Amino acid sequence: MHPAQLSLEDLEAECQMRSDRRGGPGGQHRNKVQTAMVISHKPTGCVAEASERRSQVDNRRVALFRLRIALALEVRTSRPDGGLVEPSQLWRRRARGNRLGVAPVHDDFPAILAELLDALHVCEYDVGQVSKHYSTTGSQLIRLLRSCPPALTAVNAQRLGRGLHKLT
């Protein structure tokens, strides 16, 4: 299982969390309380942080979401035989016909993004092959990538390195 697809409890168990002081909202409490959160995923070394909220609990939630996005972008997983995995239950639940519906701010987004990036990696970044396997259209997959600019940039770098055209 991809680390971005772990439950929050399981992900937190693999992480080191620390609070910190940072600039940001808070008025007279600014730089006086440790509301910023820095979260490190021990197995991969991925780090995410949040400090823009007044509450440590809110910053923790935001930092965990950012960590899941970072894991989706940086960590590739695959089957032992190198083949494509079947679409997950989450993917099937989010697919409506050939459309894929998930907003970039939704809790399911990092797991869906990780699944797409893993599939693209296995298929040498061939969007057509992945769209057939996942019973959706290439434009739906590109739309998902566009909703996370770092993902689109990473996919385009891989595609250009393989002599494929850039996705826009």
Side-chain angles (χ1 to χ4, degrees):
M1 174 180 280
H2 193 283
Q5 296 170 327
L6 294 172
S7 69
L8 286 179
E9 296 80 25
D10 291 341
L11 181 60
E12 286 177 358
E14 294 184 352
C15 291
Q16 177 182 2
M17 298 187 196
R18 68 178 169 85
S19 58
D20 201 0
R21 289 187 210 184
R22 298 282 164 87
Q28 63 184 332
H29 295 290
R30 186 178 187 147
N31 294 327
K32 292 182 183 176
V33 292
Q34 294 185 331
T35 57
M37 288 299 297
V38 180
I39 303 175
S40 303
H41 186 245
K42 291 184 271 187
T44 62
C46 287
V47 177
E49 61 182 75
S51 63
E52 62 271 15
R53 311 270 186 209
R54 289 182 180 204
S55 159
Q56 189 179 80
V57 171
D58 290 343
N59 282 329
R60 179 181 174 146
R61 181 183 44 78
V62 171
L64 278 167
F65 185 83
R66 288 179 181 160
L67 178 64
R68 292 179 70 221
I69 292 289
L71 290 167
L73 292 170
E74 296 178 27
V75 177
R76 299 283 55 87
T77 59
S78 62
R79 290 185 353 189
D81 66 1
L84 272 172
V85 298
E86 290 303 310
S88 68
Q89 289 283 32
L90 177 61
W91 186 283
R92 286 191 287 256
R93 200 169 60 241
R94 286 295 185 171
R96 306 272 188 250
N98 65 354
R99 296 187 58 98
L100 183 63
V102 61
V105 294
H106 194 279
D107 286 340
D108 291 343
F109 183 78
I112 294 287
L113 180 63
E115 189 168 348
L116 172 58
L117 292 173
D118 283 348
L120 286 168
H121 180 74
V122 168
C123 293
E124 296 291 317
Y125 295 88
D126 181 347
V127 174
Q129 188 178 352
V130 174
S131 67
K132 286 177 190 166
H133 184 75
Y134 281 84
S135 301
T136 188
T137 64
S139 61
Q140 286 293 301
L141 300 181
I142 294 168
R143 184 180 64 81
L144 180 70
L145 291 170
R146 261 195 237 122
S147 66
C148 181
L152 183 61
T153 299
V155 167
N156 278 333
Q158 292 292 330
R159 287 178 59 84
L160 291 173
R162 288 169 170 77
L164 300 170
H165 67 81
K166 187 176 173 181
L167 302 174
T168 56

